[in-house]
Amino acid sequence: MQGVLLLVFAKYFHLPFLRGVQTETTRTGLGGYWGNKGGVSARMSVFGHTLCFLNCHLPAHMENSDQRMEDFESILQQQQFEGQAATGVLDHDVVFWFGDLNFRIDDLDMQVVKSAIDNNKFSTLWEKDQLNMAKDSETVLEGFQEGPLKFPPTYKFDVGTDTYDTSGKKRKPAWTDRILWRMRATAPVSAAGKRGSLSGLTSGTKVTQHYYRSHMEFTVSDHKPVSSIFTLQFPYRVDVPLVTLIVEDEWNCVADAAPKFRLAPNYPRSSWDWIGLYKVGFKHHKDYVGYVWAKQEENDFHRLEQQVVFTEEELPKDSGDFILGYYSNNMNSMVGMTEPFQIQLPSLEPPSSSSDSSDFSSEDEGTVVQAKAESSPGSSSPKTRPSPGSSPPPPAAPRSKHRHHHHHHHHPRRPESPRSIPPTPDAAPADTDATDSRPEQPAEGAVAQEE
């Protein structure tokens, strides 16, 4: 959201257990019209435990401590997620709250603050830190924890230096940049009504902070960045993927490219589900090098195992380590992943006819999705079926790199590539014969789902 960015990365083998991913943004700048201040959040269920990350940029200046708290409460009030598990930020099992929270050091004058910093006596400043003081009086901060501030205040520096502000404003140093966490308390664990420090919190979840530090070596800003590493320990509530993919350890010929998949009985499948082929180290579900639709025939509904086939044109031309991922359209996330496997195919003939050029769609970032007009099991004619993550094109319309400039986002997403807008689930027809293609549909029908 303008100046506030939140990125979440996961190990590929955790992806099937990260579910219900949703994002929210709240603008608080200029009375709610401007996104230079505010909060962005991402929530998800992790192995059955709910987790929320909230990045905030709160109002500046010494005298605005109350306004910072008001904005924080406003962000919490406005950010409501869909579904039954957790509706607001604080309803999650674990919350990480961080960002340029802009709290300052009260009462003490500049010389006292600088002397404490020079003599490494940070603890003498802690009790005058506005956020620490607010914890004693603000109910909304109840349960939030923070590691000790054993690093110098991270604001305000002359850009390009490690020197505190020498400009005419001479801002007093402050710990504006913070990382806190909160665990949702459960019912009291003893007759005396005391909450256990760990056992009474979120069914055995434990959060351990390994370090909390600033990075003085960065000089591009008047702030110093802050980082922290945590370990979350909890009993798995969910440890069986919704889709199991079965694949050969090596693909040495095209015939090997016939993975099978098995759906869990409770899996809400969609006609728009697809299986993507990814290079090891892929960054996003849209970074596939090839894909097939996870199409299921009516007479196959009772079979436990389904099979799809990648055609020659859908396979990478270079050898290497790859992963298959099953993308759920209804859940907007990966619900099945393989371990890495090798693809090493004999070199293929280049296309011989120039008339084939319309069958190739070259993408940004060196990704090429190749599609021929012939059908194969598990895929329909690419002439009329969209690639995953792009809207179904109108008949014979070329894919334009400028087609998606009319987004109306409510949630921050990765910068969109031309293959980015997912098909709308309600456009998916009932399953038909394998050679049938998806119906044509104007691109606008898919844009609304972007939100």
Side-chain angles (χ1 to χ4, degrees), residues 145-346:
Q145 302 178 60
E146 183 180 23
L149 297 162
K150 292 182 175 175
F151 48 87
T154 54
Y155 176 84
K156 174 181 184 177
F157 290 88
D158 292 341
V159 174
T161 75
D162 291 338
T163 308
Y164 284 107
D165 187 16
T166 59
S167 73
K169 293 180 180 176
K170 287 201 167 42
R171 298 272 188 233
K172 189 163 49 167
W175 284 292
T176 52
D177 311 282
R178 311 287 277 270
I179 300 171
L180 294 89
W181 74 97
R182 176 188 187 272
M183 299 169 71
R184 186 169 58 88
T186 57
V189 292
S190 69
K194 291 180 182 173
R195 296 189 189 280
S197 60
L198 288 176
S199 56
L201 290 168
T202 318
S203 61
T205 301
K206 184 181 174 186
V207 176
T208 308
Q209 185 177 47
H210 297 287
Y211 74 66
Y212 186 25
R213 58 165 294 199
S214 67
H215 298 263
M216 293 293 283
E217 65 273 21
F218 289 92
T219 60
V220 293
S221 164
D222 55 359
H223 291 255
K224 299 297 181 187
V226 168
S227 67
S228 184
I229 287 187
F230 296 85
T231 298
L232 268 66
Q233 290 168 284
F234 41 62
Y236 286 174
R237 287 182 188 156
V238 173
D239 58 357
V240 177
L242 290 168
V243 175
T244 304
L245 289 160
I246 303 145
V247 70
E248 295 286 341
D249 287 342
E250 287 184 20
W251 290 6
N252 296 317
C253 61
V254 176
D256 291 334
K260 295 176 179 174
F261 64 92
R262 195 182 301 130
L263 307 177
N266 59 336
Y267 172 63
R269 72 171 300 278
S270 154
S271 300
W272 294 104
D273 287 358
W274 45 276
I275 296 170
L277 178 64
Y278 299 91
K279 281 192 168 181
V280 168
F282 73 102
K283 299 292 191 297
H284 197 270
H285 67 261
K286 295 166 191 165
D287 293 342
Y288 53 80
V289 293
Y291 68 90
V292 292
W293 296 93
K295 194 161 166 29
Q296 199 176 13
E297 306 309 319
E298 259 179 72
N299 55 354
D300 285 345
F301 279 147
H302 302 297
R303 284 177 54 196
L304 288 175
E305 228 168 64
Q306 312 292 326
Q307 187 165 34
V308 291
V309 174
F310 282 83
T311 61
E312 252 184 46
E313 292 79 13
E314 288 157 342
L315 294 173
K317 300 296 176 273
D318 52 341
S319 55
D321 292 334
F322 291 83
I323 292 176
L324 283 181
Y326 187 110
Y327 186 81
S328 164
N329 183 68
N330 287 335
M331 296 176 71
N332 292 315
S333 60
M334 291 283 193
V335 292
M337 300 293 297
T338 65
E339 287 295 318
F341 60 92
Q342 272 207 322
I343 297 183
Q344 195 159 10
L345 301 175

Side-chain angles (χ1 to χ4, degrees), residues 10 46 53 82 132 135 170 207 222 238 342 364:
V46 180
F53 300 98
E82 297 168 8
N132 285 338
K135 280 185 193 171
K170 287 201 167 42
V207 176
D222 55 359
V238 173
Q342 272 207 322
D364 295 352

Side-chain angles (χ1 to χ4, degrees), residues 58-62 64-69 72 97 100-105 129-132 134 141 155 173-178:
L58 300 181
H61 307 306
M62 177 70 70
N64 283 338
S65 189
D66 290 346
Q67 184 63 49
R68 286 186 267 280
M69 287 312 307
F72 179 49
W97 174 40
D100 179 2
L101 307 185
N102 249 324
F103 288 99
R104 307 302 168 102
I105 294 170
D129 171 78
Q130 291 176 339
L131 180 54
N132 285 338
L141 295 179
Y155 176 84
W175 284 292
T176 52
D177 311 282
R178 311 287 277 270

Side-chain angles (χ1 to χ4, degrees), residues 355 358-359 371-374 380-386 393-396 437 440:
S355 66
S358 63
D359 295 328
K372 290 281 187 177
E374 56 204 37
S380 296
S381 164
K383 290 286 191 187
T384 50
R385 296 188 77 171
S437 59
E440 301 300 340

